[in-house]
DNA sequence: TTTT
DNA sequence: TTTT
C-alpha cells in the first residue's frame, strides 16, 4: 500500500560535501549533517544533544551541493529514510541508514558573510526532469532531485 | 477521530512581532511571515512567488518572539492551521486563517552564536508546562508553547 | 529567498469532491477535509476540536480524487498554503486560504469495506510530468500533481 | 544550535509490538513499520519498494501500542531519528538507527469508532506530563510521549 | 515482516 | 510587508 516516508532536518554540515563522479555522467554527494537540540534536564542544567545524519544527493543536486555547501553550512533538508543491509565477512547482518535528499534549501542570509557571491542563498526542490536546469542554477532558485532514473523521486 | 494538522514553514518576517499583554498575565504575538519560492516558468524565466502567513504565538513563546525576532528574521516554524469564522455586518460569512505556532527556531545565526549576543540562536519547542522556563530562555535553547490552558498544544 | 511552505494533514472528507472540467482540458477538484483532535481539558473532560480545510487538486490528481474519494474517506495530504485576496463590493479586503495539494494517499485498508474494487487503496505523489500516467492510475500507486504549467509544483 | 530532526511515516506494522517492562516502572515498545511506495519504472512497469523502520516508544505510549496495535495495523507516526553506535567484538564501529516516536495515530478505523470496540481509533501526541492519562486512554484520543525523564521529548 |  |  502507498505509504509515507518523510524526513525534515535543519542543521549544519560537519564537513564539506564529498562528491563522486560516477560513470554514465552521474554524480553523488555525501554529506554529514548535525541536528542539535538543547534542553534543560531535571536539574535545570542545559544539555545539548547532537544527532548526526548521513545525507545522499544525486545528479544536479549533488553538483549544487558541491558548489555552494561547505563545512558549517546551515540547511533545511527534506528527504526519505533508506537503510541498506548486507552481510559482513563474519556473516553478520550489517545496516547503514541514510537520508536520500529530495530537496534542500540553504539557510541564513549571509552563509559566508557579506560580499561572498560564490556562496549565495541556494535551494533545491522537486522539479520535473524535463525542466531541470541545464547548467548550475542561479542563486536563490529552487533546484531539485531530477535524476532520470527508475526511482520514484 | 484523531487527525493530523501540521504546518512547516521557513521564511522571513515582514515586520517586527506585534505583542499584546492580555489580562491574566497572558501574552500573544502576531507575526507576518513570507515564504518565497523561485522557479523557472515555461519560458525559462525566473519567477518568484511569495506567500504571506499570519502567525500566532502565546505565552512565553510570544515573549521570546518579542525579544529575539524582528523584521527580516529568518525562522523555521512548526504549527497548525486555524480558521476563525464569523458573520460581518452584512451578514456574510467571513474567514481568517492563521498558523498557531507550536515551536519555532531562529535560523541563520552562527552555530555557537559566538560574537553576536544581540541576535542569538533561539528556538522553541513543545515542552511540558512543568519544565517551562520561568524567565526568558537563554540563547540556543528549545522553548515551547507551554500555555497551561485547555488547548491540546 | 527560497522558503518552505508545507502542510501535512490526516483527516476525513466532509463531502464528495466537487470536480470542475475547465476549458483547455484542465480539471480542478475542491474538497473539504476535517482534522479532529481530541484531548482532555483541565477538568479531565474529553474535548473534540475539528478544523476544516479547503483542499484544491488539479489535473490527473483531481480525476483520481473524483474517482476514488468520497464523503468520509480518510486521507493523508501533503501540500502548501495559498491565500487569495480580493476586494469585495464594499471595498473591503477579503481572504480565502486553501491547501494546494501536492500529493495524497488514501488511508485504511478497506475504505469501503471488503469487496469494493471501485474504491481501492490509492495515493498520489510528485512525479515528473513526463512519466505521468496517461490513464487513471491503478489502485495502490503513487500519482501526483503533474500539471504542465508554470507552477513550481 | 537549535536544529530540527523530524520524521513522518505512514505504514503498516510487520509484527505485533514487542513490549518490555523495565525496572522503575518504565516500559518500552519496539515495532517494525513498513512504508511502501509504488511507482512505474521507465518501462512502465509497476514497481514496489518497501522500507522497514525500527520504532521505539516509551511509557504510556508503549502501553497503548501494546493494547491497540498489532501486526498489520496502519499508523501515522511522528518522531525523530536516533542512531546508536558502538564497537563490536572485532573492534569495528557498528550503527543502529531507530525512530523515537513522539506521537502516533491509528489509521483506517471508522471516524466514530462505532461498532468496533476492539480496535478503536487511537492516537498519541505530545502532552505535558502533568496531564498524562493515568490509565490507558480511551479510544479516539490523543496520547503522547510523556516520559518524565531528562530527554527533551 | 506489513499492506494492496 | 520579508529575503536574495
Amino acid at each position: 500500500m502507498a505509504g509515507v516516508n518523510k524526513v525534515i532536518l535543519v542543521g549544519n554540515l560537519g564537513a564539506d560535501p564529498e562528491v563522486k563522479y560516477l560513470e554514465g555522467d552521474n554524480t553523488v554527494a555525501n554529506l554529514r549533517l548535525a541536528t542539535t537540540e538543547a534542553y534543560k534536564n531535571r536539574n535545570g542544567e542545559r544539555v545539548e544533544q547532537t544527532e548526526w545524519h548521513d545525507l545522499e544527493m544525486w545528479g544536479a543536486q549533488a553538483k549544487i551541493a558541491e558548489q555552494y555547501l561547505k563545512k558549517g553550512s546551515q540547511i533545511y533538508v527534506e528527504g526519505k529514510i533508506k537503510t541498506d543491509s548486507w552481510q559482513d565477512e563474519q556473516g553478520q547482518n550489517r545496516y547503514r541508514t541514510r537520508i536520500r535528499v529530495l530537496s534542500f534549501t540553504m539557510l541564513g542570509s549571509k552563509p559566508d558573510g557579506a560580499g561572498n557571491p560564490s556562496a549565495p542563498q541556494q535551494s533545491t526542490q522537486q522539479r520535473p526532469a524535463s525542466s531541470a536546469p541545464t547548467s548550475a542554477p542561479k542563486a536563490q532558485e529552487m533546484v531539485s532531485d531530477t535524476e532520470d532514473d527508475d526511482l520514484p523521486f
Side-chain angles (χ1 to χ4, degrees), chain A:
Chain A
M1 106 80 191
V4 174
N5 174 358
K6 179 166 290 291
V7 175
I8 288 171
L9 305 172
V10 173
N12 298 81
L13 296 184
D16 291 351
E18 288 186 13
V19 183
K20 286 177 211 150
Y21 290 83
L22 311 175
E23 51 191 333
D25 197 29
N26 212 346
T27 315
V28 62
N30 291 283
L31 306 92
R32 290 278 287 171
L33 184 78
T35 59
T36 302
E37 40 182 345
Y39 59 96
K40 285 202 174 63
N41 67 13
R42 64 182 76 195
N43 298 325
E45 301 158 335
R46 189 170 176 280
V47 182
E48 261 197 8
Q49 200 170 325
T50 295
E51 195 69 34
W52 286 95
H53 309 269
D54 286 317
L55 310 184
E56 185 182 275
M57 302 178 181
W58 288 88
Q61 208 174 48
K63 290 172 186 164
I64 295 165
E66 183 178 39
Q67 188 172 1
Y68 294 117
L69 302 183
K70 60 177 194 302
K71 182 177 175 175
S73 295
Q74 187 186 33
I75 58 175
Y76 168 95
V77 167
E78 212 170 310
K80 59 179 173 177
I81 301 175
K82 284 182 56 180
T83 299
D84 294 327
S85 65
W86 70 97
Q87 283 204 334
D88 66 13
E89 313 77 44
Q90 284 79 32
Q92 290 198 291
N93 290 322
R94 301 290 297 271
Y95 303 93
R96 186 190 170 203
T97 299
R98 272 171 291 183
I99 308 301
R100 172 75 143 85
V101 176
L102 300 178
S103 69
F104 74 88
T105 305
M106 282 191 65
L107 301 174
S109 357
K110 287 130 194 148
D112 202 12
N116 187 358
S118 68
Q121 199 72 22
Q122 186 60 55
S123 142
T124 79
Q125 199 169 77
Q126 287 297 104
R127 298 284 297 136
S130 56
S131 57
T134 52
S135 57
K138 298 289 199 318
Q140 295 150 259
E141 224 158 274
M142 288 300 195
V143 187
S144 47
D145 181 8
T146 55
E147 286 304 283
D148 187 15
D149 56 19
D150 282 349
L151 296 176
F153 294 95

